[in-house]
Amino acid sequence: MESQPKIANSIYDSFLSALVTGNKITCKKIVKELLNDDIPLRELYIEYFQKSLYEIGSLWEHNRISVAVEHVATGIIEQLMSFVYPLLFEDTDKDKKVLVSCIANEYHQVGAKMVCDIFEMNGWDSYFVGSNIQIEDLIDMIGEKQPDIVGLSISIYFNIPVLLNTIKYIKNNFPEVEIIIGGQATKFIKPAEIAKYKHTRIVNDIFELEQLIRI
Ligand code: B12
């Protein structure tokens, strides 16, 4: 029993080093082996995909890897998410709908995509709108899809004014829609700025999200 964490860590270490060197074949092989060993998808997402990208971000911040290396690594994670997607996608009608989008000027889309996939795993129909979505386009899409929940993703603190403006705009057009906000910049948002909107809240992580959306 005691050796288990060590084994798990060594698999993660191999995954990270393959990712940093851009070795997508090894990354995919490791993911296939983890899936063969029945790793839950959310664990694969959080303990491998998210954890490694956070580490890539920190290496980049400390000038230990280049922007190009970070771009290649992010691209590999996005490919791996597409690879596992068929495992969670069920071709059946679903009652509940969510639409998840990055706000304007927000280019970090992996977390938002992951959130959509978490909704799918929990029996929801999801629409991933993408990165850097202008408010008018988002409003049109909400009008068209009529989701039960709108998820907004924000990673960069300097985008908080854009986020607040987006919430205001959505609430002016769709006062009853539920809005959830997530991403690494949420820790910089003052709670009072959100509290004034009905059915609007920050969701801190995937575990909190799953409590909220379990059908
Ligand atoms: C890849 C990356 C990029 C790529 C993104 C490409 C892409 N296809 O997404 C590019 C090159 C575009 C980029 C650009 C920049 N980046 Co960048 N980037 C990253 C990096 C390395 C990984 C991001 C990622 O995918 N993480 C993994 C995902 C899974 O995690 P996540 O986003 O946190 O999502 C999880 C939760 O937050 C939550 N969540 C997220 N969204 C939502 C939404 C809802 C509704 C809910 C409920 C939950 C939720 O659930 C997810 C799953 O658990 C991070 C490092 C890091 N710590 O993340 C830096 C990082 C985010 N970037 C950073 C910076 C500074 C920048 C730039 C300003 C750099 C520059 N000078 O140009 C620009 C800004 C561009 C912009 N306007 O958006 C900083 C942000 C610091 C800050 N908080 O302000 C970070 C933290 C790097 C660092 N350590 O300094 N970046």
Side-chain angles (χ1 to χ4, degrees):
M1 281 300 278
E2 277 185 4
S3 63
Q4 270 182 0
K6 214 171 154 199
I7 293 168
N9 281 344
S10 82
I11 298 172
Y12 171 76
D13 291 346
S14 308
F15 181 77
L16 180 65
S17 73
L19 196 61
V20 171
T21 49
N23 190 339
K24 66 172 182 245
I25 293 176
T26 301
C27 289
K28 192 168 171 186
K29 193 165 158 264
I30 292 171
V31 168
K32 274 185 177 168
E33 283 166 5
L34 289 166
L35 291 170
N36 283 341
D37 289 344
D38 289 329
I39 186 172
L41 278 179
R42 70 181 59 69
E43 190 179 326
L44 180 67
Y45 274 23
I46 305 299
E47 297 301 329
Y48 284 82
F49 297 172
Q50 175 173 309
K51 188 174 170 190
S52 60
L53 279 176
Y54 281 10
E55 215 153 331
I56 293 275
S58 160
L59 291 170
W60 167 68
E61 197 183 0
H62 295 99
N63 285 324
R64 301 215 5 235
I65 59 168
S66 67
V67 165
V69 169
E70 173 270 302
H71 280 23
V72 169
T74 309
I76 292 174
I77 295 292
E78 291 192 291
Q79 285 171 6
L80 292 172
M81 284 174 69
S82 302
F83 168 66
V84 300
Y85 189 70
L87 298 177
L88 57 95
F89 184 79
E90 276 177 44
D91 206 3
T92 52
D93 282 343
K94 294 161 181 168
D95 294 336
K96 295 275 197 180
K97 262 188 278 180
V98 64
L99 187 150
V100 183
S101 178
C102 298
I103 55 170
N105 198 37
E106 185 57 72
Y107 288 87
H108 298 88
Q109 64 169 14
V110 179
K113 174 77 178 59
M114 225 176 241
V115 165
C116 267
D117 290 358
I118 300 284
F119 270 96
E120 292 280 345
M121 284 177 212
N122 283 276
W124 287 62
D125 200 3
S126 73
Y127 295 92
F128 169 59
V129 190
S131 67
N132 185 29
I133 301 301
Q134 302 306 309
I135 294 181
E136 297 76 13
D137 294 333
L138 185 57
I139 296 293
D140 285 351
M141 189 57 100
I142 296 170
E144 190 188 316
K145 301 295 179 203
Q146 298 285 320
D148 299 279
I149 294 183
V150 173
L152 299 175
S153 183
I154 176 162
S155 300
I156 300 287
Y157 75 91
F158 59 66
N159 278 335
I160 289 175
V162 179
L163 172 78
L164 298 175
N165 199 29
T166 306
I167 296 170
K168 193 168 122 197
Y169 228 88
I170 295 175
K171 282 293 167 187
N172 281 343
N173 286 274
F174 308 99
E176 294 306 319
V177 78
E178 186 170 348
I179 300 181
I180 59 171
I181 304 140
Q184 290 174 72
T186 53
K187 56 180 176 278
F188 302 110
I189 300 172
K190 294 192 189 95
E193 289 174 321
I194 301 296
K196 61 185 175 201
Y197 296 105
K198 235 180 23 167
H199 311 310
T200 302
R201 65 158 94 178
I202 290 172
V203 175
N204 291 304
D205 55 42
I206 291 310
F207 304 99
E208 194 180 323
L209 178 69
E210 288 204 289
Q211 299 290 326
L212 187 74
I213 65 172
R214 207 158 271 154
I215 293 178

PDB file of all heavy atoms in Angstrom, residues 174-206:
ATOM      1  N   PHE A 174     -30.847  38.690 -19.661  1.00  0.00           N
ATOM      2  CA  PHE A 174     -31.433  37.427 -19.172  1.00  0.00           C
ATOM      3  C   PHE A 174     -31.390  37.438 -17.638  1.00  0.00           C
ATOM      4  O   PHE A 174     -30.539  36.785 -17.023  1.00  0.00           O
ATOM      5  CB  PHE A 174     -30.642  36.220 -19.706  1.00  0.00           C
ATOM      6  CG  PHE A 174     -30.449  36.220 -21.194  1.00  0.00           C
ATOM      7  CD1 PHE A 174     -29.258  36.661 -21.757  1.00  0.00           C
ATOM      8  CD2 PHE A 174     -31.468  35.803 -22.039  1.00  0.00           C
ATOM      9  CE1 PHE A 174     -29.077  36.683 -23.133  1.00  0.00           C
ATOM     10  CE2 PHE A 174     -31.305  35.821 -23.412  1.00  0.00           C
ATOM     11  CZ  PHE A 174     -30.105  36.263 -23.962  1.00  0.00           C
ATOM     12  N   PRO A 175     -32.316  38.191 -16.992  1.00  0.00           N
ATOM     13  CA  PRO A 175     -32.228  38.382 -15.539  1.00  0.00           C
ATOM     14  C   PRO A 175     -32.270  37.082 -14.736  1.00  0.00           C
ATOM     15  O   PRO A 175     -31.693  36.996 -13.664  1.00  0.00           O
ATOM     16  CB  PRO A 175     -33.451  39.251 -15.210  1.00  0.00           C
ATOM     17  CG  PRO A 175     -33.982  39.731 -16.502  1.00  0.00           C
ATOM     18  CD  PRO A 175     -33.445  38.882 -17.611  1.00  0.00           C
ATOM     19  N   GLU A 176     -32.941  36.048 -15.273  1.00  0.00           N
ATOM     20  CA  GLU A 176     -33.130  34.821 -14.479  1.00  0.00           C
ATOM     21  C   GLU A 176     -32.051  33.774 -14.690  1.00  0.00           C
ATOM     22  O   GLU A 176     -32.003  32.780 -13.961  1.00  0.00           O
ATOM     23  CB  GLU A 176     -34.502  34.197 -14.795  1.00  0.00           C
ATOM     24  CG  GLU A 176     -35.695  35.047 -14.369  1.00  0.00           C
ATOM     25  CD  GLU A 176     -35.639  35.445 -12.892  1.00  0.00           C
ATOM     26  OE1 GLU A 176     -35.273  34.598 -12.053  1.00  0.00           O
ATOM     27  OE2 GLU A 176     -35.951  36.617 -12.591  1.00  0.00           O
ATOM     28  N   VAL A 177     -31.198  33.948 -15.672  1.00  0.00           N
ATOM     29  CA  VAL A 177     -30.215  32.884 -15.947  1.00  0.00           C
ATOM     30  C   VAL A 177     -29.210  32.790 -14.794  1.00  0.00           C
ATOM     31  O   VAL A 177     -28.827  33.798 -14.196  1.00  0.00           O
ATOM     32  CB  VAL A 177     -29.504  33.103 -17.313  1.00  0.00           C
ATOM     33  CG1 VAL A 177     -28.430  34.171 -17.241  1.00  0.00           C
ATOM     34  CG2 VAL A 177     -28.909  31.794 -17.816  1.00  0.00           C
ATOM     35  N   GLU A 178     -28.815  31.546 -14.495  1.00  0.00           N
ATOM     36  CA  GLU A 178     -27.829  31.345 -13.429  1.00  0.00           C
ATOM     37  C   GLU A 178     -26.431  31.514 -14.030  1.00  0.00           C
ATOM     38  O   GLU A 178     -26.120  30.938 -15.070  1.00  0.00           O
ATOM     39  CB  GLU A 178     -28.018  29.936 -12.860  1.00  0.00           C
ATOM     40  CG  GLU A 178     -27.143  29.702 -11.661  1.00  0.00           C
ATOM     41  CD  GLU A 178     -27.472  28.420 -10.917  1.00  0.00           C
ATOM     42  OE1 GLU A 178     -28.523  27.802 -11.176  1.00  0.00           O
ATOM     43  OE2 GLU A 178     -26.637  28.047 -10.066  1.00  0.00           O
ATOM     44  N   ILE A 179     -25.609  32.292 -13.334  1.00  0.00           N
ATOM     45  CA  ILE A 179     -24.231  32.504 -13.824  1.00  0.00           C
ATOM     46  C   ILE A 179     -23.250  31.956 -12.797  1.00  0.00           C
ATOM     47  O   ILE A 179     -23.366  32.247 -11.603  1.00  0.00           O
ATOM     48  CB  ILE A 179     -23.927  34.009 -14.044  1.00  0.00           C
ATOM     49  CG1 ILE A 179     -24.890  34.609 -15.066  1.00  0.00           C
ATOM     50  CG2 ILE A 179     -22.481  34.206 -14.486  1.00  0.00           C
ATOM     51  CD1 ILE A 179     -24.634  36.103 -15.349  1.00  0.00           C
ATOM     52  N   ILE A 180     -22.301  31.141 -13.276  1.00  0.00           N
ATOM     53  CA  ILE A 180     -21.213  30.735 -12.379  1.00  0.00           C
ATOM     54  C   ILE A 180     -19.902  31.237 -12.969  1.00  0.00           C
ATOM     55  O   ILE A 180     -19.723  31.290 -14.196  1.00  0.00           O
ATOM     56  CB  ILE A 180     -21.181  29.209 -12.142  1.00  0.00           C
ATOM     57  CG1 ILE A 180     -21.010  28.434 -13.453  1.00  0.00           C
ATOM     58  CG2 ILE A 180     -22.419  28.740 -11.392  1.00  0.00           C
ATOM     59  CD1 ILE A 180     -20.758  26.947 -13.229  1.00  0.00           C
ATOM     60  N   ILE A 181     -19.011  31.637 -12.076  1.00  0.00           N
ATOM     61  CA  ILE A 181     -17.735  32.215 -12.512  1.00  0.00           C
ATOM     62  C   ILE A 181     -16.614  31.368 -11.926  1.00  0.00           C
ATOM     63  O   ILE A 181     -16.645  31.021 -10.738  1.00  0.00           O
ATOM     64  CB  ILE A 181     -17.602  33.662 -11.982  1.00  0.00           C
ATOM     65  CG1 ILE A 181     -18.787  34.499 -12.433  1.00  0.00           C
ATOM     66  CG2 ILE A 181     -16.298  34.307 -12.422  1.00  0.00           C
ATOM     67  CD1 ILE A 181     -19.279  35.433 -11.362  1.00  0.00           C
ATOM     68  N   GLY A 182     -15.632  31.025 -12.758  1.00  0.00           N
ATOM     69  CA  GLY A 182     -14.504  30.239 -12.255  1.00  0.00           C
ATOM     70  C   GLY A 182     -13.223  30.611 -12.968  1.00  0.00           C
ATOM     71  O   GLY A 182     -13.222  31.357 -13.947  1.00  0.00           O
ATOM     72  N   GLY A 183     -12.120  30.081 -12.446  1.00  0.00           N
ATOM     73  CA  GLY A 183     -10.808  30.351 -13.043  1.00  0.00           C
ATOM     74  C   GLY A 183      -9.878  30.983 -12.016  1.00  0.00           C
ATOM     75  O   GLY A 183     -10.306  31.444 -10.962  1.00  0.00           O
ATOM     76  N   GLN A 184      -8.602  31.017 -12.380  1.00  0.00           N
ATOM     77  CA  GLN A 184      -7.580  31.407 -11.392  1.00  0.00           C
ATOM     78  C   GLN A 184      -7.663  32.859 -10.927  1.00  0.00           C
ATOM     79  O   GLN A 184      -7.120  33.206  -9.888  1.00  0.00           O
ATOM     80  CB  GLN A 184      -6.191  31.119 -11.954  1.00  0.00           C
ATOM     81  CG  GLN A 184      -5.923  29.628 -12.050  1.00  0.00           C
ATOM     82  CD  GLN A 184      -4.615  29.302 -12.729  1.00  0.00           C
ATOM     83  OE1 GLN A 184      -3.554  29.503 -12.168  1.00  0.00           O
ATOM     84  NE2 GLN A 184      -4.689  28.807 -13.945  1.00  0.00           N
ATOM     85  N   ALA A 185      -8.335  33.725 -11.682  1.00  0.00           N
ATOM     86  CA  ALA A 185      -8.408  35.134 -11.259  1.00  0.00           C
ATOM     87  C   ALA A 185      -9.568  35.392 -10.302  1.00  0.00           C
ATOM     88  O   ALA A 185      -9.698  36.511  -9.793  1.00  0.00           O
ATOM     89  CB  ALA A 185      -8.516  36.047 -12.480  1.00  0.00           C
ATOM     90  N   THR A 186     -10.384  34.376 -10.022  1.00  0.00           N
ATOM     91  CA  THR A 186     -11.550  34.640  -9.151  1.00  0.00           C
ATOM     92  C   THR A 186     -11.109  35.060  -7.748  1.00  0.00           C
ATOM     93  O   THR A 186     -11.839  35.755  -7.047  1.00  0.00           O
ATOM     94  CB  THR A 186     -12.496  33.421  -9.044  1.00  0.00           C
ATOM     95  OG1 THR A 186     -11.723  32.292  -8.647  1.00  0.00           O
ATOM     96  CG2 THR A 186     -13.194  33.134 -10.353  1.00  0.00           C
ATOM     97  N   LYS A 187      -9.902  34.644  -7.357  1.00  0.00           N
ATOM     98  CA  LYS A 187      -9.443  35.006  -5.999  1.00  0.00           C
ATOM     99  C   LYS A 187      -9.212  36.519  -5.855  1.00  0.00           C
ATOM    100  O   LYS A 187      -9.104  37.032  -4.748  1.00  0.00           O
ATOM    101  CB  LYS A 187      -8.198  34.217  -5.606  1.00  0.00           C
ATOM    102  CG  LYS A 187      -7.016  34.316  -6.533  1.00  0.00           C
ATOM    103  CD  LYS A 187      -5.854  33.462  -5.995  1.00  0.00           C
ATOM    104  CE  LYS A 187      -4.683  33.460  -6.940  1.00  0.00           C
ATOM    105  NZ  LYS A 187      -4.805  32.518  -8.052  1.00  0.00           N
ATOM    106  N   PHE A 188      -9.151  37.219  -6.969  1.00  0.00           N
ATOM    107  CA  PHE A 188      -8.941  38.678  -6.913  1.00  0.00           C
ATOM    108  C   PHE A 188     -10.263  39.463  -6.982  1.00  0.00           C
ATOM    109  O   PHE A 188     -10.260  40.694  -6.972  1.00  0.00           O
ATOM    110  CB  PHE A 188      -8.039  39.139  -8.071  1.00  0.00           C
ATOM    111  CG  PHE A 188      -6.695  38.465  -8.082  1.00  0.00           C
ATOM    112  CD1 PHE A 188      -6.368  37.549  -9.072  1.00  0.00           C
ATOM    113  CD2 PHE A 188      -5.761  38.732  -7.090  1.00  0.00           C
ATOM    114  CE1 PHE A 188      -5.133  36.907  -9.086  1.00  0.00           C
ATOM    115  CE2 PHE A 188      -4.513  38.108  -7.093  1.00  0.00           C
ATOM    116  CZ  PHE A 188      -4.206  37.191  -8.097  1.00  0.00           C
ATOM    117  N   ILE A 189     -11.401  38.737  -7.094  1.00  0.00           N
ATOM    118  CA  ILE A 189     -12.694  39.431  -7.220  1.00  0.00           C
ATOM    119  C   ILE A 189     -13.241  39.738  -5.828  1.00  0.00           C
ATOM    120  O   ILE A 189     -13.239  38.863  -4.956  1.00  0.00           O
ATOM    121  CB  ILE A 189     -13.715  38.551  -7.992  1.00  0.00           C
ATOM    122  CG1 ILE A 189     -13.182  38.244  -9.397  1.00  0.00           C
ATOM    123  CG2 ILE A 189     -15.070  39.238  -8.072  1.00  0.00           C
ATOM    124  CD1 ILE A 189     -14.027  37.229 -10.160  1.00  0.00           C
ATOM    125  N   LYS A 190     -13.711  40.969  -5.630  1.00  0.00           N
ATOM    126  CA  LYS A 190     -14.323  41.313  -4.334  1.00  0.00           C
ATOM    127  C   LYS A 190     -15.740  40.720  -4.302  1.00  0.00           C
ATOM    128  O   LYS A 190     -16.538  40.985  -5.213  1.00  0.00           O
ATOM    129  CB  LYS A 190     -14.414  42.833  -4.180  1.00  0.00           C
ATOM    130  CG  LYS A 190     -13.068  43.519  -4.097  1.00  0.00           C
ATOM    131  CD  LYS A 190     -13.248  44.981  -3.657  1.00  0.00           C
ATOM    132  CE  LYS A 190     -11.950  45.734  -3.779  1.00  0.00           C
ATOM    133  NZ  LYS A 190     -11.816  46.467  -5.061  1.00  0.00           N
ATOM    134  N   PRO A 191     -16.077  39.927  -3.267  1.00  0.00           N
ATOM    135  CA  PRO A 191     -17.390  39.260  -3.226  1.00  0.00           C
ATOM    136  C   PRO A 191     -18.557  40.229  -3.455  1.00  0.00           C
ATOM    137  O   PRO A 191     -19.535  39.885  -4.111  1.00  0.00           O
ATOM    138  CB  PRO A 191     -17.434  38.653  -1.822  1.00  0.00           C
ATOM    139  CG  PRO A 191     -16.000  38.466  -1.449  1.00  0.00           C
ATOM    140  CD  PRO A 191     -15.232  39.565  -2.114  1.00  0.00           C
ATOM    141  N   ALA A 192     -18.440  41.479  -2.942  1.00  0.00           N
ATOM    142  CA  ALA A 192     -19.549  42.437  -3.071  1.00  0.00           C
ATOM    143  C   ALA A 192     -19.845  42.761  -4.543  1.00  0.00           C
ATOM    144  O   ALA A 192     -20.981  43.099  -4.900  1.00  0.00           O
ATOM    145  CB  ALA A 192     -19.217  43.717  -2.326  1.00  0.00           C
ATOM    146  N   GLU A 193     -18.825  42.628  -5.385  1.00  0.00           N
ATOM    147  CA  GLU A 193     -19.025  42.945  -6.803  1.00  0.00           C
ATOM    148  C   GLU A 193     -19.920  41.918  -7.498  1.00  0.00           C
ATOM    149  O   GLU A 193     -20.510  42.181  -8.533  1.00  0.00           O
ATOM    150  CB  GLU A 193     -17.667  43.012  -7.516  1.00  0.00           C
ATOM    151  CG  GLU A 193     -16.875  44.234  -7.101  1.00  0.00           C
ATOM    152  CD  GLU A 193     -15.479  44.261  -7.681  1.00  0.00           C
ATOM    153  OE1 GLU A 193     -14.830  43.194  -7.763  1.00  0.00           O
ATOM    154  OE2 GLU A 193     -15.030  45.349  -8.067  1.00  0.00           O
ATOM    155  N   ILE A 194     -19.986  40.731  -6.909  1.00  0.00           N
ATOM    156  CA  ILE A 194     -20.791  39.647  -7.484  1.00  0.00           C
ATOM    157  C   ILE A 194     -22.136  39.546  -6.761  1.00  0.00           C
ATOM    158  O   ILE A 194     -23.162  39.259  -7.368  1.00  0.00           O
ATOM    159  CB  ILE A 194     -20.034  38.298  -7.336  1.00  0.00           C
ATOM    160  CG1 ILE A 194     -18.681  38.360  -8.044  1.00  0.00           C
ATOM    161  CG2 ILE A 194     -20.857  37.127  -7.831  1.00  0.00           C
ATOM    162  CD1 ILE A 194     -18.777  38.550  -9.532  1.00  0.00           C
ATOM    163  N   ALA A 195     -22.093  39.822  -5.441  1.00  0.00           N
ATOM    164  CA  ALA A 195     -23.279  39.606  -4.595  1.00  0.00           C
ATOM    165  C   ALA A 195     -24.474  40.428  -5.060  1.00  0.00           C
ATOM    166  O   ALA A 195     -25.619  40.067  -4.798  1.00  0.00           O
ATOM    167  CB  ALA A 195     -22.938  39.925  -3.142  1.00  0.00           C
ATOM    168  N   LYS A 196     -24.221  41.540  -5.748  1.00  0.00           N
ATOM    169  CA  LYS A 196     -25.362  42.380  -6.147  1.00  0.00           C
ATOM    170  C   LYS A 196     -26.175  41.772  -7.299  1.00  0.00           C
ATOM    171  O   LYS A 196     -27.261  42.269  -7.603  1.00  0.00           O
ATOM    172  CB  LYS A 196     -24.882  43.794  -6.500  1.00  0.00           C
ATOM    173  CG  LYS A 196     -23.917  43.887  -7.637  1.00  0.00           C
ATOM    174  CD  LYS A 196     -23.443  45.329  -7.766  1.00  0.00           C
ATOM    175  CE  LYS A 196     -22.373  45.441  -8.823  1.00  0.00           C
ATOM    176  NZ  LYS A 196     -21.541  46.599  -8.715  1.00  0.00           N
ATOM    177  N   TYR A 197     -25.659  40.718  -7.918  1.00  0.00           N
ATOM    178  CA  TYR A 197     -26.411  40.077  -9.019  1.00  0.00           C
ATOM    179  C   TYR A 197     -27.117  38.815  -8.526  1.00  0.00           C
ATOM    180  O   TYR A 197     -26.513  37.989  -7.830  1.00  0.00           O
ATOM    181  CB  TYR A 197     -25.462  39.720 -10.169  1.00  0.00           C
ATOM    182  CG  TYR A 197     -24.842  40.927 -10.804  1.00  0.00           C
ATOM    183  CD1 TYR A 197     -23.510  41.248 -10.562  1.00  0.00           C
ATOM    184  CD2 TYR A 197     -25.595  41.766 -11.609  1.00  0.00           C
ATOM    185  CE1 TYR A 197     -22.934  42.376 -11.130  1.00  0.00           C
ATOM    186  CE2 TYR A 197     -25.025  42.899 -12.179  1.00  0.00           C
ATOM    187  CZ  TYR A 197     -23.706  43.198 -11.930  1.00  0.00           C
ATOM    188  OH  TYR A 197     -23.139  44.312 -12.484  1.00  0.00           O
ATOM    189  N   LYS A 198     -28.398  38.676  -8.932  1.00  0.00           N
ATOM    190  CA  LYS A 198     -29.179  37.491  -8.577  1.00  0.00           C
ATOM    191  C   LYS A 198     -28.618  36.245  -9.278  1.00  0.00           C
ATOM    192  O   LYS A 198     -28.135  36.347 -10.413  1.00  0.00           O
ATOM    193  CB  LYS A 198     -30.623  37.725  -9.074  1.00  0.00           C
ATOM    194  CG  LYS A 198     -31.627  37.561  -7.968  1.00  0.00           C
ATOM    195  CD  LYS A 198     -33.083  37.779  -8.351  1.00  0.00           C
ATOM    196  CE  LYS A 198     -33.540  37.630  -9.757  1.00  0.00           C
ATOM    197  NZ  LYS A 198     -34.966  37.572  -9.962  1.00  0.00           N
ATOM    198  N   HIS A 199     -28.726  35.097  -8.648  1.00  0.00           N
ATOM    199  CA  HIS A 199     -28.318  33.809  -9.252  1.00  0.00           C
ATOM    200  C   HIS A 199     -26.913  33.884  -9.870  1.00  0.00           C
ATOM    201  O   HIS A 199     -26.692  33.395 -10.982  1.00  0.00           O
ATOM    202  CB  HIS A 199     -29.287  33.375 -10.366  1.00  0.00           C
ATOM    203  CG  HIS A 199     -30.722  33.433  -9.994  1.00  0.00           C
ATOM    204  ND1 HIS A 199     -31.231  32.873  -8.847  1.00  0.00           N
ATOM    205  CD2 HIS A 199     -31.777  33.988 -10.630  1.00  0.00           C
ATOM    206  CE1 HIS A 199     -32.533  33.082  -8.793  1.00  0.00           C
ATOM    207  NE2 HIS A 199     -32.889  33.770  -9.851  1.00  0.00           N
ATOM    208  N   THR A 200     -26.007  34.508  -9.175  1.00  0.00           N
ATOM    209  CA  THR A 200     -24.648  34.650  -9.718  1.00  0.00           C
ATOM    210  C   THR A 200     -23.652  34.322  -8.610  1.00  0.00           C
ATOM    211  O   THR A 200     -23.766  34.848  -7.507  1.00  0.00           O
ATOM    212  CB  THR A 200     -24.415  36.101 -10.204  1.00  0.00           C
ATOM    213  OG1 THR A 200     -25.404  36.394 -11.187  1.00  0.00           O
ATOM    214  CG2 THR A 200     -23.041  36.297 -10.804  1.00  0.00           C
ATOM    215  N   ARG A 201     -22.721  33.424  -8.895  1.00  0.00           N
ATOM    216  CA  ARG A 201     -21.769  33.050  -7.840  1.00  0.00           C
ATOM    217  C   ARG A 201     -20.428  32.590  -8.414  1.00  0.00           C
ATOM    218  O   ARG A 201     -20.342  32.168  -9.573  1.00  0.00           O
ATOM    219  CB  ARG A 201     -22.353  31.955  -6.984  1.00  0.00           C
ATOM    220  CG  ARG A 201     -22.563  30.664  -7.745  1.00  0.00           C
ATOM    221  CD  ARG A 201     -22.634  29.507  -6.809  1.00  0.00           C
ATOM    222  NE  ARG A 201     -24.009  29.192  -6.452  1.00  0.00           N
ATOM    223  CZ  ARG A 201     -24.332  28.173  -5.666  1.00  0.00           C
ATOM    224  NH1 ARG A 201     -23.416  27.425  -5.136  1.00  0.00           N
ATOM    225  NH2 ARG A 201     -25.597  27.899  -5.418  1.00  0.00           N
ATOM    226  N   ILE A 202     -19.432  32.675  -7.528  1.00  0.00           N
ATOM    227  CA  ILE A 202     -18.109  32.136  -7.891  1.00  0.00           C
ATOM    228  C   ILE A 202     -18.076  30.667  -7.466  1.00  0.00           C
ATOM    229  O   ILE A 202     -18.559  30.320  -6.390  1.00  0.00           O
ATOM    230  CB  ILE A 202     -17.000  32.926  -7.155  1.00  0.00           C
ATOM    231  CG1 ILE A 202     -16.921  34.342  -7.744  1.00  0.00           C
ATOM    232  CG2 ILE A 202     -15.655  32.226  -7.253  1.00  0.00           C
ATOM    233  CD1 ILE A 202     -16.008  35.284  -7.003  1.00  0.00           C
ATOM    234  N   VAL A 203     -17.518  29.832  -8.327  1.00  0.00           N
ATOM    235  CA  VAL A 203     -17.329  28.419  -7.984  1.00  0.00           C
ATOM    236  C   VAL A 203     -15.824  28.180  -7.950  1.00  0.00           C
ATOM    237  O   VAL A 203     -15.121  28.413  -8.939  1.00  0.00           O
ATOM    238  CB  VAL A 203     -18.025  27.507  -9.026  1.00  0.00           C
ATOM    239  CG1 VAL A 203     -17.720  26.050  -8.745  1.00  0.00           C
ATOM    240  CG2 VAL A 203     -19.535  27.742  -9.007  1.00  0.00           C
ATOM    241  N   ASN A 204     -15.336  27.747  -6.789  1.00  0.00           N
ATOM    242  CA  ASN A 204     -13.884  27.746  -6.578  1.00  0.00           C
ATOM    243  C   ASN A 204     -13.124  26.615  -7.248  1.00  0.00           C
ATOM    244  O   ASN A 204     -11.971  26.792  -7.624  1.00  0.00           O
ATOM    245  CB  ASN A 204     -13.576  27.763  -5.079  1.00  0.00           C
ATOM    246  CG  ASN A 204     -13.973  29.092  -4.484  1.00  0.00           C
ATOM    247  OD1 ASN A 204     -13.508  30.134  -4.937  1.00  0.00           O
ATOM    248  ND2 ASN A 204     -14.850  29.065  -3.503  1.00  0.00           N
ATOM    249  N   ASP A 205     -13.741  25.463  -7.348  1.00  0.00           N
ATOM    250  CA  ASP A 205     -13.029  24.362  -8.011  1.00  0.00           C
ATOM    251  C   ASP A 205     -14.019  23.312  -8.515  1.00  0.00           C
ATOM    252  O   ASP A 205     -15.230  23.440  -8.333  1.00  0.00           O
ATOM    253  CB  ASP A 205     -11.979  23.722  -7.074  1.00  0.00           C
ATOM    254  CG  ASP A 205     -12.603  23.265  -5.763  1.00  0.00           C
ATOM    255  OD1 ASP A 205     -13.714  22.702  -5.798  1.00  0.00           O
ATOM    256  OD2 ASP A 205     -11.987  23.480  -4.701  1.00  0.00           O
ATOM    257  N   ILE A 206     -13.456  22.289  -9.119  1.00  0.00           N
ATOM    258  CA  ILE A 206     -14.265  21.252  -9.760  1.00  0.00           C
ATOM    259  C   ILE A 206     -15.108  20.477  -8.740  1.00  0.00           C
ATOM    260  O   ILE A 206     -16.210  20.047  -9.033  1.00  0.00           O
ATOM    261  CB  ILE A 206     -13.312  20.297 -10.522  1.00  0.00           C
ATOM    262  CG1 ILE A 206     -12.707  21.032 -11.729  1.00  0.00           C
ATOM    263  CG2 ILE A 206     -13.980  19.013 -10.972  1.00  0.00           C
ATOM    264  CD1 ILE A 206     -13.724  21.729 -12.589  1.00  0.00           C
TER     265      ILE A 206
END
